[in-house]
Structures are given as structure tokens and as C-alpha cells.
Amino acid sequence: MKNSPAVSLTPSKRVLFLTKDPELIRRQIAGELDLRMADLVVDDLLDDINTDVMTPAWVCFDYRPEDLARNAYAGLIVDGERLIPRDGLRNGQFEVIVSGYRKGVGSSRETAVQAEKWSGIRIAIAASFAPIHAANNVNQGVLMGDHEMLTRLQAGEEVPLVEFCRGYDSLTSSKIGHGGLFAFSRALASGEAEVPTVDTPTRPMTMAEKVLAAHAVNATDFVKPGDALVVRVDGGYSHEFTTAQVHYFLQQELGADYRLANPERFAVFEDHLIYADEVAKMRPFMDQIEELRRLQREFQAHTGVRDYSARDGVSPGICHEVARQELVAPGQFILATDSHTCMGGCNNALTWGVGATEYANLIATGVSTVEVPESIRFELRGELAEGVTAKDLMLHILLQYAKPQRTLNRVMEFGGEGLAMLSMDERATLTNMATECSARGAIAELDETAVTWLLSRRRDLTRDAILAAGVSPDPGAQYEGGVVEIDLGTIEPMVAHPGDPDRGIASDPTNGALVSDLGRVEIDIAYGGSCTAGKVDDLEFYHRVIAEAVAAGRQVAPNVEFLIQFGSRDVEEYCRSRGYLSTFEKAGVRLISPGCGACIGCGPGVSDRPNQVTVSAINRNYKGRSGPGRLYLASPLTVAASAFVGAITAYEPGMFGGMAS
Ligand code: SF4
């Protein structure tokens, strides 16, 4: 529905304030309390509400928005109980929801917005929004505003719609005005909406700007941050956690016989829920999960997109890991329905996650709209010390640059002679975790290492084609986030700790600390896997530590479960061919077939009690995402060393008193 040019509150509707004091939320939901912004300060409101809290994984097993909205905020748990019970948001007659900073961090799941919208919310108020979540709000037609606007609304003022469009480019503003992406697309098709021509003069460009300029259909050869572009999309993918919605939305929008123009450019993966039946908490949902799988198969058969389904119950691999090996090429613009799509940036491409609505629209039309983002460059120098990995570097970046929001909504550009010292798998760790930095995406420079790696895997690419399509930054390119020089030799083993709820410190990937400053933290679970840490080099890291431990006669510490999960079938095969599997088994490691798992709470390796402590090589430690326990993020080397010591410990060569042969 088109938004009115002046926005006001509906007298019969209410405003829900998500306060740091849970009792105030409980009373608002119970209908005992109505708050006013004028009586509060932003600091009273919850920050960093992540999308797993808004719609935990199990809520998304209901793919129809009207169904999943019944469990809005099911992950907001205090003292073991939901603060907002089933139907609580919908029955409260709320039309505005209010929170603090960085609303909607974490997974790109659009269900978080849908849960609010289908509960009656039409305005979300926050001090800032995570980029993908903000895009999802725009695509769903939910207005976003700040606390000052809310004060005026609650005082009875009408706030002009243009104020809700402030800071957005003209295409996004038009989407907001039309009430969402599908409505905007219909307006474009009927001529009611127009695409502006972008006429940015010649200027030096960053790598992200160059990729977007090359894909823009409404611009000349140059773009700058803030330009509103319609861009060709080279390809994309979805997985069984998201595909059912994409199919459902396309059927609703275009009819049951809808068709895709270029299905061969897109793919479906079966990777996210493949081992959910091994988690007791997930077993009650197996019928819904099976329905999601069935709908993905139906979508694949209907559209003819590339098929990466499981065979004999085993996934071909995590979508992002397989995509960077088989689908993503230098200079391309790739969008997929998962926040870690940014991992593909390691291939000198621009790749990021989008919600189901945007994905449905782009696979139907072949284009998407983009506001050219700003960039921040990381100029890497020197070399990582022995025992330090790209994961430690990224935990350092999260603490030093993401926490103070220097990466927020920007593209992180990685280059410099230090990047050349990192393998492609290590570069993939950097670009993968751009989403934890609340960045728009990440892109790594192209060099001989990248060209050789790509040619060894891709029959569809030639050296000439790679070099012609690849991008490098122009001298004089502008980085609004600055150019950050990092001497890799100064990086030490790091963790991100799970915060301190009593002091209001949420569990967050930006909670960086040196392992050496941590004190003794005993662990129950060590997990190595996920798109971040299930690659060949990660398995090499695990193997290096485990082989040393086995040579010294050590076993995984008593009371610790150490699980390793392969990122893809190829990674598993690599380990088998080198005899690593028997070393892992000798040490007492539990091996898990390729795919996603613990990091989404849907596979072996999740905690099942609040007092359990996990050290994990995954990418995010948001509360409750991988079970109720406390989760520390760390490098593959630290995870493996900790598994043998029984407490979080950085790896040092020879630490077990014997060396592998
Ligand atoms: S491995 Fe984990 S973080 Fe990566 S895509 Fe799968 S669920 Fe997401």
C-alpha cells in the first residue's frame, strides 16, 4: 500500500518500547503500561537487537509471513521465559516499535521484518539500523525513523514522509513512497515510477564503485557514493531456509506459472537444515523442515536453477564455500539470501546478502537497485606471526574498527602486500565476516594467487577473462571510512567473548580480547566448522594442532567435546586423501558431514545448557544462536589447542611437548 505524504499515529494503536528493563516490556505487552518517548532517553532502549532474537531459526520454519509473525520476538528470553509470548506483539495493537542502536544486526533474514509487519507494525524507530535489516524494512514497506520523530508523532504531529526518506537515494525513497519493493516494481513497469539517469563525472573509483559502475543500466562509466543505480545482477543463490519464501512470493506476485529469465545464473543449496534432526530442540520441527526442503525442490524443478541438493542425506557443502569455488568470478555482482554472501568478495567480486523479497524480485527481473555505498580500505602490511590466522585479524578489526562503526554500511576493501601473503581461504575468512562488521560487503584485490586459484577450479574461466573482468582501485580513490594500515605482524591470537549480561554487555563478535588477557576459561565444547572455518586451510590448521597432540600421546581433554565439520564435500575429500581423518579420530574428534550446523543452532555442536562454555571458529556469538551456553569466537588454531588443554588457549608450536612427523 502506498504511504501517505504525511505520517501520523493511529489513535487506537500503541507504541512498543523495547527497553533494557525487561519488566517494562512485560507490562506493555500485558496492556498495563504505555510509554512516551518524551519520558525516556535512547540509553533506556535495547541496543543490538539481532534478527535471531526477532525470529529464531525455528520461527522461520513457518515460511508464510502471516504464520511466522505469531512468534515475533520468540528469542527475547529473560529468566528462561519469552518476554513476548506467542501472538503477544499482534494482540498488543502496536503500530510502532522502538529500540536503541544497531537494530537488526546478525543474519540477513527478512523474517525479522515480516514478523513485525504482519503483527501490525508499520513504523520502526531506532538510533541506527543494520544495513541488510534496513533494506528489508524498505522492501517490506515498513517506515524507519528516529526518536526525535517519534517524540513529535506522540505529540500529535504529522511528520512528512520525506523525513522517513532522509538519507536515502532517490530509488530507495521511491520504494518507501510506494510502500515496498514489489509495489515499486509494479510502478516501474506501469511507468508510474521512473529511474533517474546518473551522470557522475570522471573520478577515481574504489573497487566496489568500479563493479557497480560496470553493472549499472542507468549510469555512465562513473559512480560515487549515494548514486541510485539499477544494476544487472550476474547471479545468486538461496538455500532451503529461504527458498520457500522466494517461491511463495513469486507465486503471489507473478502467478503460479511465473518464469525466470536466466535460471542458469542462479542456484539452490541444501545446507542449512541438513542435520537439524541431530539437535533435540529441533526434532519437533522436522515436518516443517521437510516441507521447506520439498518447496525448494519444487522451486528448482519449476525454475530450472542450478541444483546443489543433498545426496544421500549429505550436503554438497555450505553455499558460500561452494559458490566461491564454482559460481563467483572477478568483477561480478552476486546477491544471495544469506548474510555471509559477502564471503565471495575474496574472489575480487562484489557480493552481499539480501532478503527473500529482494531476491525474488531480482531473479525475476535480472536487476536490483543499489545505493552506491562508501568504502573503507584495509591496507595490509607484513606477515602474520606463527600461530596467528586471518580469524585473529578479523577479530581485531571487529574490535578496533567495527565496534566504533567505521565499517558500518561500507564496503571493506582489502589490499596491500600483506593480503598477498594470505591464501585464498584466509582471504575468504576476512570477506566472510564483513557482515559481523555491519559492513555492506567486502572485496579483496586480485593478484596472481587469486588467478591461479581460480584457474585450478574453473573450466569456465580463462586467465585473459579473469584479468579483463577483475577490478583494482584507482589511484586517488576516495575512502570515506579512511585507509587503515594494519601491520599483520602485530596481530596476536584473539577471541570475541560472550559479554556480561549483568553489566549490559551483549554477546557480540565485536567483544574482542587477547587470548593472553583472558585468564583461565574452561570449556565444554570446541567447534571447528561453518562457512568461516570449514575450508581446506582451516582443516589444515586443525590438523596441525591435532597431529602434534596425537604425536605427544594426547587426547581431546576429558569433559570436552571437539567437533569438526567440513565446509564442503571437496574439503572432506581433501582431508581423506591426506590421511587426516584417522588422525582426527585417534585424537577423539567427532567429525560431521559437510554443511551448516551448530552456528545456526541446527546441527551437532550446539550447547544445550546455559552453563556450558563453547570455543568456536564460527563467525557470530549472538546470545542463543548456537544454544543457551556462553560462546567465545576464536581462530581454528585456538579452537583446536583449547580442545586438548580443556581451557581457551592460543596455539604454540610444540605446546604438547612432541611434534608431528
Ligand atoms: S555456516 Fe553458519 S554462518 Fe555460515 S552460512 Fe551456514 S549457518 Fe550461516
Side-chain angles (χ1 to χ4, degrees):
M1 196 174 65
K2 239 179 151 170
N3 274 307
S4 138
V7 178
S8 57
L9 298 186
T10 313
S12 58
K13 299 282 184 178
R14 300 171 65 210
V15 179
L16 175 64
F17 289 83
L18 297 173
T19 51
K20 286 182 180 140
D21 180 350
E23 186 53 25
L24 296 182
I25 300 179
R26 213 186 305 272
R27 289 179 58 206
Q28 290 175 85
I29 293 292
E32 300 164 2
L33 177 70
D34 281 296
L35 293 168
R36 299 184 66 77
M37 193 64 228
D39 301 327
L40 295 165
V41 293
V42 177
D43 264 2
D44 294 329
L45 300 164
L46 274 178
D47 299 321
D48 297 299
I49 295 176
N50 72 71
T51 52
D52 284 270
V53 161
M54 298 165 79
T55 47
W58 63 268
V59 172
C60 311
F61 300 154
D62 274 326
Y63 64 94
R64 298 188 333 152
E66 52 272 42
D67 297 332
L68 66 88
R70 303 189 66 187
N71 282 304
Y73 283 88
L76 194 55
I77 308 265
V78 173
D79 296 333
E81 274 191 33
R82 278 172 67 169
L83 264 186
I84 302 182
R86 184 174 166 87
D87 292 326
L89 188 62
R90 192 180 64 178
N91 292 348
Q93 299 297 310
F94 300 105
E95 66 173 351
V96 182
I97 194 159
V98 193
S99 55
Y101 287 89
R102 296 173 296 276
K103 166 101 180 270
V105 291
S107 152
S108 62
R109 61 186 66 156
E110 188 183 291
T111 50
V113 171
Q114 294 163 9
E116 291 186 340
K117 180 179 168 177
W118 267 266
S119 295
I121 300 295
R122 64 184 181 95
I123 305 173
I125 299 287
S128 58
F129 293 87
I132 301 177
H133 185 70
N136 288 336
N137 270 312
V138 169
N139 290 333
Q140 284 294 328
V142 175
L143 298 176
M144 287 174 287
D146 62 27
H147 302 96
E148 185 270 335
M149 291 157 77
L150 176 61
T151 305
R152 287 158 55 204
L153 285 167
Q154 284 194 302
E157 243 186 75
E158 282 192 338
V159 174
L161 183 63
V162 288
E163 290 195 35
F164 290 90
C165 302
R166 204 164 39 200
Y168 289 109
D169 64 276
S170 58
L171 283 172
T172 306
S173 299
S174 187
K175 265 190 239 173
I176 293 170
H178 281 92
L181 178 59
F182 286 140
F184 169 71
S185 286
R186 285 194 296 273
L188 269 185
S190 69
E192 195 196 329
E194 280 182 7
V195 173
T197 301
V198 173
D199 200 10
T200 296
T202 306
R203 66 187 290 274
M205 292 192 288
T206 65
M207 291 197 281
E209 288 162 0
K210 281 189 169 177
V211 173
L212 291 173
H215 287 77
V217 299
N218 64 327
T220 50
D221 293 342
F222 298 92
V223 299
K224 63 178 184 315
D227 282 348
L229 304 181
V230 175
V231 284
R232 286 181 291 101
V233 180
D234 293 311
Y237 48 92
S238 59
H239 48 65
E240 80 273 35
F241 200 43
T242 54
T243 302
Q245 273 211 332
V246 172
H247 190 38
Y248 180 61
F249 289 167
L250 283 169
Q251 286 172 325
Q252 285 192 319
E253 192 59 24
L254 303 176
D257 58 351
Y258 76 88
R259 290 281 174 264
L260 306 188
N262 295 295
E264 70 286 352
R265 294 188 188 173
F266 299 94
V268 288
F269 285 85
E270 198 173 345
D271 58 354
H272 268 63
L273 307 175
I274 188 93
Y275 312 117
D277 60 340
E278 295 187 43
V279 178
K281 228 175 99 188
M282 291 296 147
R283 277 186 211 124
F285 305 106
M286 289 318 295
D287 286 349
Q288 282 165 284
I289 291 174
E290 192 47 49
E291 176 66 357
L292 293 180
R293 292 179 182 138
R294 187 192 71 72
L295 285 165
Q296 175 157 287
R297 288 194 296 271
E298 183 180 292
F299 168 82
Q300 193 281 326
H302 180 88
T303 58
V305 299
R306 293 168 73 163
D307 187 9
Y308 289 93
S309 292
R311 301 274 178 267
D312 302 323
V314 176
S315 169
I318 303 167
C319 52
H320 314 304
E321 170 63 4
V322 177
R324 79 185 178 99
Q325 308 259 356
E326 301 186 15
L327 303 176
V328 181
Q332 284 191 327
F333 184 51
I334 302 283
L335 300 176
T337 59
D338 192 282
S339 61
H340 288 102
T341 305
C342 50
M343 182 166 168
C346 61
N347 285 12
N348 190 240
L350 197 57
T351 64
W352 62 58
V354 294
T357 301
E358 187 166 344
Y359 189 74
N361 194 66
L362 76 91
I363 62 174
T365 61
V367 295
S368 190
T369 60
V370 172
E371 177 180 352
V372 178
E374 297 178 346
S375 293
I376 176 170
R377 179 170 172 87
F378 290 89
E379 187 76 30
L380 306 182
R381 305 255 179 248
E383 208 172 331
L384 291 169
E386 176 77 32
V388 180
T389 71
K391 181 62 169 291
D392 299 299
L393 169 60
M394 187 35 97
L395 293 174
H396 168 83
I397 289 173
L398 277 152
L399 172 66
Q400 299 294 341
Y401 304 102
K403 204 179 193 78
Q405 306 209 36
R406 279 186 65 180
T407 52
L408 180 65
N409 214 2
R410 294 183 166 129
V411 173
M412 299 167 72
E413 183 176 294
F414 290 98
E417 92 244 4
L419 182 75
M421 305 303 293
L422 298 178
S423 69
M424 288 300 284
D425 284 4
E426 286 284 81
R427 295 175 199 191
T429 298
L430 299 181
T431 53
N432 174 284
M433 290 186 69
T435 190
E436 276 67 42
C437 295
S438 295
R440 197 71 210 274
I443 183 166
E445 280 183 356
L446 187 68
D447 63 4
E448 190 52 35
T449 301
V451 174
T452 307
W453 184 89
L454 283 160
L455 288 174
S456 71
R457 283 161 176 77
R458 302 282 288 274
R459 290 212 190 98
D460 59 322
L461 298 176
T462 64
R463 173 175 289 275
D464 287 348
I466 290 171
L467 294 177
V471 289
S472 56
D474 289 327
Q478 287 171 26
Y479 297 92
E480 288 73 13
V483 177
V484 174
E485 284 206 21
I486 298 179
D487 176 355
L488 298 184
T490 63
I491 303 298
E492 295 179 52
M494 297 212 36
V495 295
H497 62 78
D500 182 350
D502 291 343
R503 291 195 297 131
I505 303 171
S507 193
D508 192 284
T510 63
N511 292 341
L514 293 177
V515 176
S516 56
D517 286 344
L518 207 56
R520 186 167 174 89
V521 178
E522 301 205 346
I523 59 164
D524 303 284
I525 300 168
Y527 175 86
S530 83
C531 50
T532 314
K535 309 180 289 310
V536 160
D537 280 16
D538 302 309
L539 271 292
E540 285 285 1
F541 288 135
Y542 304 128
H543 179 260
R544 188 193 306 176
V545 181
I546 294 167
E548 277 189 34
V550 168
R554 299 281 292 262
Q555 283 268 302
V556 171
N559 306 323
V560 172
E561 190 180 22
F562 184 12
L563 308 95
I564 291 180
Q565 184 164 22
F566 308 101
S568 71
R569 275 201 198 128
D570 288 354
V571 174
E572 182 175 16
E573 197 41 49
Y574 173 90
C575 293
R576 181 173 289 113
S577 68
R578 278 167 176 72
Y580 292 177
L581 302 190
S582 61
T583 311
F584 295 159
E585 277 156 14
K586 256 187 230 156
V589 175
R590 181 176 167 196
L591 297 175
I592 308 166
S593 297
C596 301
C599 54
I600 197 181
C602 289
V606 295
S607 59
D608 48 27
R609 296 189 308 279
N611 61 355
Q612 283 179 311
V613 176
T614 300
V615 62
S616 176
I618 62 174
N619 39 46
R620 43 180 64 153
N621 57 345
Y622 300 125
K623 189 168 176 251
R625 181 171 160 93
S626 301
R630 290 167 60 76
L631 193 147
Y632 289 77
L633 302 177
S635 78
L637 289 174
T638 299
V639 166
S642 306
F644 290 93
V645 174
I648 296 179
T649 309
Y651 164 73
E652 285 174 29
M655 65 187 286
F656 304 113
M659 295 294 284
S661 54

